[in-house]
Amino acid sequence: MATKNNSRQFHLGKRLLAYFKPFWPKLILVGLLLLLGIGFNLLEPYFLGKIIDEKLLVGDWEGARKMIFFLLGIYGGAWLTRFLQAKLMAKISQEALFFLRQDLFVHLQGLSIRFFDQKAHGDLMSRLTNDIEAINRALGQNLLQLASNFLSLVGVLIFIFFLNFPLALTVAVSFPFVVGVTVLVTKRTRKGFQALQKEVGSLNGVLEEQIGGVRTVQAFSQQEKSLVLFSQKNDAVCRQGIYASTFAFLLPPLINIFANANIGLVAGVGGFLALQGKVGIGLVVAFINYSRQVSQPVRELADIYNSFQEALAGAGRVFEIIDRQPEIEDAPGAREVKLQGKVVFDKVSFSYDEKKTVLKEISFMVEPGQTLALVGPTGAGKTTIANLLFRFYEPSEGKIFLDEREIREIKIASLRRQLGLVLQDPFLFSATILENIRYGRPEASQEEVIAAAKIAGAHQFIKRLPQGYETKLSWGGTDLSQGQRQLLTIARAVLVDPVILLLDEATSSVDTRTEREIQKALDRLRQNRTSIVIAHRLSTIRNADQILFIKNGQIKERGTHRELLAKKGFYARFYQAQFGGLGVGA
């Protein structure tokens, strides 16, 4: 198991470092600065010892003064190289993580709707923020420190053995103990940080759901239940955080014990050798400093190791998404197609999972310019038909044709550019009204946007707003009424000028007067355009060329409004339930 984990960590680390590949010239410069800085660090204790033994102890104050200025220059050079390293590495790491964050977001955008149905949005946001930030801390701040400490440790150990073998051996004696303690403790921290980040993602999922549904929570007075749910997840994060942090914080004090004991040992051995005249006092002072330079990198390496464990746990969650293959993508040979608007469903069946079939052998045809209405009880599968036409999902069985061409032969981007969608629950972005209407056609002029708003019946209320079309909306457009939000999404669809228009309960959230105005606009919009209308308000579909009554995923009836009323079947009973009358001339 340990070998498998180590192999996985090595693979994750290799993938992360691949994002630094374009910056190798800058990394080489960082490496040169790093070596220069290590050289300065090695010279600091050496010249300090020289000043004591060769200048101060013999009374050469002028020589000591000159060497002190030289030593200050070494200190200044060490500081300058560290500053330049940090600045350059910060730039490199931020640019590398820019591409990692972008890769993750772009890949998320390409995943199917089914994936987002199954994943908590808060957890996905956590991967884009918390996990990427963990990687940033490790690569941006600690990668350089890791290289610096490792090379410093190797450099110091080699250098001190050239200076004095007995003292060097004394400095190195604690090294195996420090390494052993580090290995034992960090095994625990790795497991802790992996579990912690998983719990943080779960907590973010709860936060996103509870904050997004705060109106419902308050409307049903379920604040206490919401708090209990949050507290449970928060407690899990707290417990995992304590576990991981306990071992992370335990390591530095343990290493300090060995480091301080080693300094005492070096001072004792060095004092004994000095009394025998075998070494100078300055050299002993230098070796005490070198002892610190050995213990400090090991202590910092332990901290850095903890940081890298956290980063690798985050990288695992990030690459888990990046490695996920899109369920729906362009088929080989798919190409751009200019649609005319003919839609054919040929024995299409679909299920969201293997347990329940949502659609069962649905077949229908809509000619260009015609309006098809889908009617039926909630959960019958009407919206699923629209989702399949947009290729948000793939049929389990059967085929969908557009202009005699199987839908998989058309590039997804080409397909969706020619479809217009107005949902029952309108969604607006935290941008201006102008930008929201222009969302599907960013290049559209302001005059075109205004014209689309007029067709949708939104122009009048927009004019009454303080900044008109430049009014900035909150996230989701919650500062507008439900009906106003719907009018803006209709204007958005108008501006796109789709070949095929899908209206999913587009007028269900507005009052009767607004509905009439929207219906007039939609009647104009549907001219010479294929339209598929999902409706509960049957008054909006009386003029449809064809109406399908869908129940339990099957087409139970089909025909015009008059024909279906005359049959006195499912549709007629549905109509009677709304209007209380049953007349063929209705």
Side-chain angles (χ1 to χ4, degrees):
M1 181 63 71
T3 303
K4 185 177 180 180
N5 285 336
N6 291 335
S7 175
R8 182 173 182 271
Q9 288 191 325
F10 175 78
H11 178 66
L12 289 172
K14 187 177 177 182
R15 290 187 68 176
L16 281 177
L17 291 177
Y19 281 89
F20 286 77
K21 191 174 181 180
F23 310 105
W24 278 118
K26 292 180 181 178
L27 286 171
I28 290 172
L29 179 57
V30 171
L32 294 175
L33 288 169
L34 182 62
L35 292 175
L36 184 60
I38 291 171
F40 283 130
N41 290 336
L42 290 175
L43 292 176
E44 288 172 11
Y46 176 75
F47 276 100
L48 180 61
K50 285 279 188 181
I51 291 171
I52 294 172
D53 285 340
E54 297 179 9
K55 304 299 178 183
L56 296 179
L57 292 180
V58 299
D60 184 2
W61 305 111
E62 179 63 23
R65 185 178 65 83
K66 291 179 180 179
M67 287 194 71
I68 287 172
F69 277 112
F70 182 73
L71 184 60
L72 289 175
I74 292 175
Y75 287 140
W79 176 86
L80 181 62
T81 54
R82 281 195 294 270
F83 172 76
L84 293 175
Q85 291 167 34
K87 184 175 181 179
L88 189 55
M89 194 64 197
K91 180 176 175 59
I92 293 170
S93 63
Q94 287 301 323
E95 289 177 350
L97 289 176
F98 169 85
F99 291 111
L100 175 61
R101 194 180 293 112
Q102 184 161 282
D103 281 354
L104 176 57
F105 184 75
V106 168
H107 194 76
L108 276 172
Q109 294 287 78
L111 292 176
S112 67
I113 299 298
R114 188 193 298 270
F115 171 81
F116 294 98
D117 291 341
Q118 297 169 346
K119 285 285 185 181
H121 295 176
D123 180 64
L124 296 177
M125 291 169 63
S126 180
R127 298 182 196 228
L128 274 162
T129 53
N130 295 345
D131 293 335
I132 294 288
E133 180 55 31
I135 296 170
N136 176 44
R137 286 193 297 270
L139 298 185
Q141 302 169 24
N142 293 330
L143 184 61
L144 179 63
Q145 197 67 20
L146 173 67
S148 176
N149 286 337
F150 179 76
L151 293 175
S152 293
L153 184 61
V154 173
V156 168
L157 289 173
I158 293 174
F159 191 69
I160 61 177
F161 273 100
F162 276 106
L163 286 180
N164 187 281
F165 188 83
L167 285 177
L169 201 60
T170 306
V171 170
V173 72
S174 67
F175 186 70
F177 297 99
V178 172
V179 172
V181 169
T182 301
V183 171
L184 287 174
V185 174
T186 50
K187 281 183 178 179
R188 301 270 185 170
T189 59
R190 176 174 59 198
K191 291 172 61 179
F193 282 121
Q194 287 174 341
L196 176 61
Q197 283 175 275
K198 183 178 180 181
E199 292 296 345
V200 168
S202 180
L203 175 64
N204 282 338
V206 170
L207 279 171
E208 191 266 343
E209 184 177 65
Q210 296 301 312
I211 293 174
V214 67
R215 293 186 182 183
T216 304
V217 171
Q218 293 183 2
F220 286 89
S221 299
Q222 292 299 309
Q223 291 93 329
E224 187 174 342
K225 181 178 180 181
S226 180
L227 176 60
V228 169
L229 181 60
F230 174 80
S231 296
Q232 290 173 345
K233 294 297 181 181
N234 196 24
D235 181 62
V237 171
C238 181
R239 283 187 282 105
Q240 288 298 339
I242 291 172
Y243 177 87
S245 299
T246 297
F247 287 99
F249 293 145
L250 177 65
L251 193 56
L254 286 175
I255 293 177
N256 275 334
I257 293 172
F258 287 104
N260 292 331
N262 191 246
I263 289 174
L265 185 62
V266 170
V269 173
F272 175 76
L273 294 175
L275 289 174
Q276 291 184 331
K278 294 182 178 180
V279 297
I281 294 174
L283 187 63
V284 176
V285 172
F287 265 83
I288 289 174
N289 280 288
Y290 283 128
S291 177
R292 290 195 182 97
Q293 287 195 9
V294 168
S295 60
Q296 181 180 346
V298 175
R299 182 172 62 249
E300 291 182 356
L301 284 171
D303 293 336
I304 293 168
Y305 182 84
N306 289 334
S307 173
F308 270 90
Q309 291 305 313
E310 188 179 1
L312 288 173
R317 285 164 48 81
V318 169
F319 288 126
E320 178 189 349
I321 301 297
I322 292 178
D323 291 340
R324 189 181 183 103
Q325 293 300 313
E327 293 182 22
I328 299 174
E329 51 189 345
D330 286 330
R335 57 193 184 90
E336 300 272 342
V337 173
K338 175 63 177 174
L339 297 177
Q340 301 301 315
K342 183 176 181 179
V343 179
V344 175
F345 273 55
D346 182 19
K347 296 182 179 179
V348 171
S349 298
F350 176 78
S351 61
Y352 289 100
D353 54 49
E354 296 179 357
K355 298 178 182 178
K356 183 180 179 182
T357 301
V358 179
L359 297 178
K360 304 172 185 176
E361 296 191 347
I362 295 291
S363 295
F364 63 81
M365 181 175 67
V366 189
E367 294 290 349
Q370 287 187 343
T371 295
L372 171 72
L374 305 176
V375 179
T378 300
K382 305 182 299 296
T383 299
T384 302
I385 292 175
N387 288 335
L388 292 174
L389 189 57
F390 266 85
R391 285 199 72 195
F392 292 149
Y393 302 94
E394 298 281 32
S396 304
E397 296 177 11
K399 293 183 178 182
I400 301 172
F401 296 89
L402 298 177
D403 300 343
E404 314 298 338
R405 188 185 300 274
E406 210 271 319
I407 196 170
R408 293 184 181 88
E409 298 175 11
I410 304 171
K411 286 190 174 182
I412 295 173
S414 174
L415 168 70
R416 292 175 182 168
R417 275 198 305 269
Q418 299 176 79
L419 301 181
L421 177 65
V422 179
L423 296 170
Q424 180 178 2
D425 297 317
F427 185 86
L428 299 173
F429 297 90
S430 53
T432 65
I433 287 178
L434 183 72
E435 290 166 330
N436 268 284
I437 296 176
R438 196 187 267 162
Y439 187 74
R441 274 187 62 204
E443 75 284 359
S445 67
Q446 186 164 352
E447 290 73 21
E448 290 175 307
V449 171
I450 293 173
K454 287 179 177 178
I455 293 174
H459 180 66
Q460 291 302 318
F461 91 78
I462 295 173
K463 283 201 310 179
R464 291 193 295 268
L465 296 173
Q467 284 80 42
Y469 283 84
E470 296 299 330
T471 300
K472 182 73 177 290
L473 301 179
S474 61
W475 183 84
T478 52
D479 36 9
L480 298 177
S481 71
Q482 179 83 356
Q484 288 172 331
R485 295 200 297 271
Q486 190 65 285
L487 291 173
L488 292 184
T489 58
I490 291 172
R492 181 191 292 165
V494 171
L495 187 64
V496 171
D497 191 24
V499 176
I500 301 172
L501 180 67
L502 291 100
L503 305 174
D504 189 352
E505 305 288 355
T507 62
S508 63
S509 301
V510 296
D511 56 58
T512 305
R513 180 181 177 184
T514 305
E515 179 189 348
R516 285 198 296 266
E517 293 300 316
I518 292 176
Q519 198 57 48
K520 292 177 184 177
L522 293 177
D523 288 341
R524 293 193 298 271
L525 179 61
R526 288 201 298 261
Q527 289 180 4
N528 302 318
R529 179 177 283 111
T530 304
S531 301
I532 298 178
V533 182
I534 299 170
H536 278 300
R537 292 187 182 181
L538 302 187
S539 59
T540 64
I541 58 166
R542 289 176 179 175
N543 298 323
D545 297 289
Q546 184 180 183
I547 298 173
L548 304 182
F549 189 92
I550 300 174
K551 185 177 181 181
N552 298 327
Q554 295 177 304
I555 298 175
K556 297 297 185 180
E557 292 180 340
R558 69 178 76 210
T560 65
H561 173 69
R562 286 175 173 271
E563 290 169 350
L564 292 177
L565 285 182
K567 287 182 179 180
K568 298 184 180 182
F570 292 104
Y571 180 84
R573 288 193 291 273
F574 216 63
Y575 187 87
Q576 186 179 23
Q578 286 192 19
F579 298 101
L582 186 58
V584 175

